[in-house]
Amino acid sequence: DSTEGKSIIVLPFVNISPDPNQEYFSDGLTEEIITDLSLIHDLLVISRSSAMTFKGSKKKITNIADEVNVRYVLEGSVRKAGKNLRITAQLIDAEKDIHLWTEKYSGTLDDVFDIQEKVARSIADALKLKLSPEENKRISERPIDNVPAYELYLKANAEIFKFTEKAINRAIGYLQNALSIIGDNALLYSGLAFAYFNLVNIG
């Protein structure tokens, strides 16, 4: 099977948690999976900004795939209750309208990094993509290997994308709290830079 046509969109994972305020977590998980898949050279991944336009969409999978010109669609749901986590993910071949792979993951927040890595590797396997040693290494990396700090990072991202002064200032507070937990961290500093950039960007 050649790598031609190995293009994918990761649809925003649906938040089915008892608390609707956990949406930052499902959006964050979507973004992290997009990031992991983007590390795979032979896979063309639709950007987060384009993928998020389909959040809450009632369109058929085949129509979405046609709209963004991809063959594969990943969709899923997240249920977070306290520290308990349940994630469902399924990969669809939109051209043939068939499921290629589906999996349910249950665990705690401490397992979230493992789950993200497993999803990326499972998709690579389902699409018969051979990962290089460098790709394997990068997918295994954990820029924030601390769950409380990671949650603050996800909350900050959700606030930044609201593009209001109050929300971005809340994001800065979350990121500074995360830095106080784990110390210097490149991803958290890049988040701060993005937040400050957007304060200027929105005037």
Side-chain angles (χ1 to χ4, degrees):
D1 195 3
S2 75
T3 57
E4 190 177 340
K6 294 293 196 306
S7 50
I8 188 170
I9 183 169
V10 181
L11 294 181
F13 275 49
V14 179
N15 174 42
I16 56 171
S17 306
D19 178 3
N21 292 326
Q22 298 296 329
E23 199 158 292
Y24 75 89
F25 193 84
S26 52
D27 286 352
L29 186 72
T30 304
E31 184 169 353
E32 293 300 299
I33 290 171
I34 288 172
T35 300
D36 278 354
L37 292 177
S38 298
L39 299 173
I40 301 173
H41 179 265
D42 290 332
L43 190 60
L44 174 66
V45 186
I46 296 297
S47 70
R48 176 206 186 277
S49 54
S50 294
M52 282 296 173
T53 62
F54 295 103
K55 186 172 178 177
S57 173
K58 302 297 182 190
K59 292 181 179 178
K60 289 182 176 179
I61 294 291
T62 49
N63 292 343
I64 291 173
D66 283 343
E67 203 170 310
V68 292
N69 195 28
V70 299
R71 176 163 179 180
Y72 302 101
V73 177
L74 179 72
E75 63 173 1
S77 63
V78 182
R79 189 179 193 280
K80 180 174 172 283
K83 284 200 73 176
N84 294 319
L85 199 59
R86 191 170 74 234
I87 294 169
T88 301
Q90 53 186 6
L91 180 66
I92 298 156
D93 182 337
E95 189 176 282
K96 297 179 180 177
D97 199 14
I98 57 170
H99 283 75
L100 291 180
W101 164 85
T102 185
E103 192 64 73
K104 290 181 181 177
Y105 304 93
S106 294
T108 67
L109 281 178
D110 295 328
D111 303 313
V112 67
F113 305 113
D114 287 333
I115 292 171
Q116 285 170 194
E117 185 180 333
K118 283 176 183 173
V119 170
R121 292 185 184 283
S122 295
I123 288 167
D125 287 344
L127 299 184
K128 299 180 174 63
L129 299 174
K130 187 169 174 56
L131 300 180
S132 70
E134 178 63 21
E135 287 167 340
N136 267 310
K137 181 172 176 255
R138 292 182 70 191
I139 287 173
S140 298
E141 285 174 354
R142 296 175 182 180
I144 303 177
D145 198 0
N146 174 287
V147 170
Y150 179 70
E151 278 209 88
L152 287 166
Y153 167 73
L154 295 185
K155 285 180 179 177
N157 263 358
E159 294 294 339
I160 290 170
F161 283 109
K162 290 177 183 175
F163 297 116
T164 68
E165 185 180 358
K166 280 185 178 178
I168 293 172
N169 281 323
R170 279 196 299 271
I172 290 168
Y174 287 140
L175 292 165
Q176 288 171 338
N177 286 345
L179 283 164
S180 72
I181 293 172
I182 61 172
D184 290 346
N185 179 276
L187 190 59
L188 294 177
Y189 282 130
S190 71
L192 275 175
F194 188 50
Y196 287 125
F197 165 78
N198 277 295
L199 278 178
V200 176
N201 198 33
I202 65 172

